[in-house]
Amino acid sequence: MKAFFFFFCQRLHPYTPLTLPLSPPSPSHETGRYFAIDIGGTNFRVIYVDLAPTRGGVARLELRDAPIPDHAYTCPVDGLFDMMATTLLAFGKELGVLGGEGAAPPTVGFCFSFPCDQTALDGGKLLKLTKRFNNPGAVGVDPVAALRAALARAGEPAARVVALLNDSVGTLAGGRYADPSVELGVILGTGTNAAYVESAAAVTKLAPRAAARLRTGKVVVNTEWGNFADVSLPTLPADLALDAATPHAGEQLMEKQMSGMYMGEIARRLLLELADQGALFAAGAVPKALREPGALTTADVAACDGDRSVTLGGVARVLAKKLGATGTSYLDRRVVRRVCHLVALRSARLLATAIASLLRQIGRDGSEEAGGGQPPPPRPAGVAVDGGVFEHYALYRAYVAAGLADLLGRPAAAAVAVKRVRDASSRGAAFLAAAADHAELGAARAESARVGEVPALAAA
Ligand code: ADP
Ligand code: MG
């Protein structure tokens, strides 16, 4: 893990395609009504917030999860945006805040978790789709323009889409809104990614003049770390085979070792290897379903790993339900639990390594105190984490904490608060829409706004 940490620190930087200007937290003046759309890989969500005039207050917050219909993964890309627009408008009408007499058109933050070359807070170009999505015509599309067009087709031509972000930036914004010490936003859901607060001077992709214009000297960097690929990644034959079977082979290699979309499938492939070698399940009794891609999910991995019962009844239930394997031996169940444990542990330690690398990058990993003399206590740093794996898999969170302690040492790790922040990316998208909207209004008033600068990811 330490060797990988070294490589990750050295080589992460080429994978930073986006910078987003951001000011430090300041008392909130964000008020008003905002919508956000949050689309990742598994869940599609619409959110409505009414921000109260009190400091950081939220008068009303409504969230609606909508399943992504199968055809939306593969239809021409306009269909995907139409699906989002119609769901958002239906939700607003249901809440009674859209479509009625005199109702204002919606102002929307768009959390779109795919790699984009972002050119403005409200514009960019989609570089590629990832996870399950494979929609013709998607690459090169400006997601904001596409969403605006879809909202117009759905009957709201005056809708405003004011902020484009991905879920890691949203998590950073949502986490920081609640706690200004948050420096990193991390996703471990269907995919994985992170965004962090960096000094503009350290970002070589930012033109010096643009950097000089930033009042705070800080920017948000979207790392796209899921795309990290390097010989230092501990790769197994099962990883290579899994990658080759995905629609985007050769891409998102670290994500494919770590995230919720893949851990179940890695475990299945490893178990099949063992079964084929005769090391698992009685001869002739290898369950057929074990040969089917997707037969095991990351939730199954979590259930097996967490089974502390004497007879491993939880593992037996997963094997029976998901693979149709009844009458498994205790030894089989031990092997299955061990494999699931190792798959999750590898992922968690990669995550700990990646978090520690970013903490080192911003001087918060405790190493600056390592010089002679009495070291000052490490400065606290907050890491907000969102995503289904981190949220539902308690043991996984413990593995990440242990990994950080191994890498940073206990005192420095104790200063790092890794917090599970539920719905952070969706909330963050709405807050950033508010911040962008207020920047726009302020700019119109003052006529001298600094281009593109977002005034506040406000402290609660
Ligand atoms: P998205 O990334 O689309 O926003 P989520 O954050 O909800 O979606 O994460 C979905 C991922 O969470 C899925 O890949 C799923 O495998 C994983 N997941 C769901 N439940 C559990 C669980 N109990 N244990 C581990 N992982 C889970
Ligand atoms: Mg999400």
Side-chain angles (χ1 to χ4, degrees), residues 53-285:
T54 54
R55 237 182 99 133
V58 175
R60 183 180 180 192
L61 186 143
E62 306 281 350
L63 285 162
R64 169 72 51 83
D65 282 316
I68 301 175
D70 281 343
H71 71 87
Y73 289 103
T74 51
C75 67
V77 73
D78 279 353
L80 177 62
F81 285 95
D82 283 335
M83 186 272 294
M84 292 188 250
T86 49
T87 309
L88 177 91
L89 297 184
F91 179 59
K93 282 176 194 153
E94 214 182 291
L95 295 176
V97 295
L98 283 183
E101 191 81 354
T107 303
V108 184
F110 190 16
C111 183
F112 183 70
S113 301
F114 302 94
C116 290
D117 183 8
Q118 192 155 358
T119 46
L121 184 60
D122 63 349
K125 227 165 60 180
L126 178 63
L127 295 173
K128 60 177 177 178
L129 288 169
T130 56
K131 297 171 270 200
R132 248 171 242 119
F133 288 89
N134 206 3
N135 304 80
V139 173
V141 156
D142 177 346
V144 171
L147 182 61
R148 278 185 193 134
L151 285 162
R153 285 195 291 275
E156 281 284 3
R160 296 163 65 234
V161 183
V162 293
L164 174 68
L165 56 144
N166 68 20
D167 49 4
S168 62
V169 174
T171 298
L172 178 61
R176 212 167 157 89
Y177 197 90
D179 171 2
S181 79
V182 166
E183 302 283 344
L184 266 63
V186 172
I187 293 293
L188 197 71
T190 307
T192 183
N193 192 12
Y196 71 105
V197 181
E198 176 64 280
S199 68
V203 181
T204 48
K205 282 192 177 183
L206 208 58
R209 276 182 46 211
R213 265 205 314 263
L214 296 171
R215 185 163 41 87
T216 59
K218 298 278 188 191
V219 292
V220 169
V221 174
N222 164 24
T223 67
E224 291 296 344
W225 76 20
N227 198 30
F228 184 78
D230 192 89
V231 285
S232 59
L233 265 181
T235 303
L236 299 167
D239 295 312
L240 300 175
L242 180 152
D243 174 48
T246 59
H248 314 285
E251 293 174 18
Q252 303 293 110
L253 293 181
M254 190 168 92
E255 178 167 276
K256 286 172 185 166
Q257 296 192 4
M258 283 175 69
S259 70
M261 181 163 167
Y262 304 105
M263 276 195 270
E265 180 61 6
I266 300 167
R268 182 193 71 83
R269 285 172 180 273
L270 293 173
L271 293 173
L272 183 58
E273 269 177 35
L274 289 173
D276 282 343
Q277 289 162 12
L280 177 65
F281 301 125

Side-chain angles (χ1 to χ4, degrees), residues 179 181-182 380-384 413-419:
D179 171 2
S181 79
V182 166
V383 180
V416 178
V418 180
K419 300 170 212 216

Side-chain angles (χ1 to χ4, degrees), residues 343-426:
V343 168
L345 189 67
R346 179 180 69 161
S347 163
R349 289 172 82 82
L350 286 171
L351 186 70
T353 307
I355 289 174
S357 303
L358 290 190
L359 290 171
R360 171 167 292 184
Q361 169 68 22
I362 59 171
R364 294 296 190 85
D365 66 330
S367 63
E368 77 272 32
E369 290 95 18
Q374 196 63 15
R379 285 187 298 159
V383 180
V385 190
D386 191 10
V389 177
F390 204 80
E391 186 178 333
H392 299 299
Y393 193 169
L395 274 174
Y396 187 96
R397 297 197 290 274
Y399 304 151
V400 174
L404 279 171
D406 282 354
L407 280 169
L408 304 179
R410 283 195 185 279
V416 178
V418 180
K419 300 170 212 216
R420 176 170 47 134
V421 188
R422 199 176 284 168
D423 308 325
S425 67
S426 311

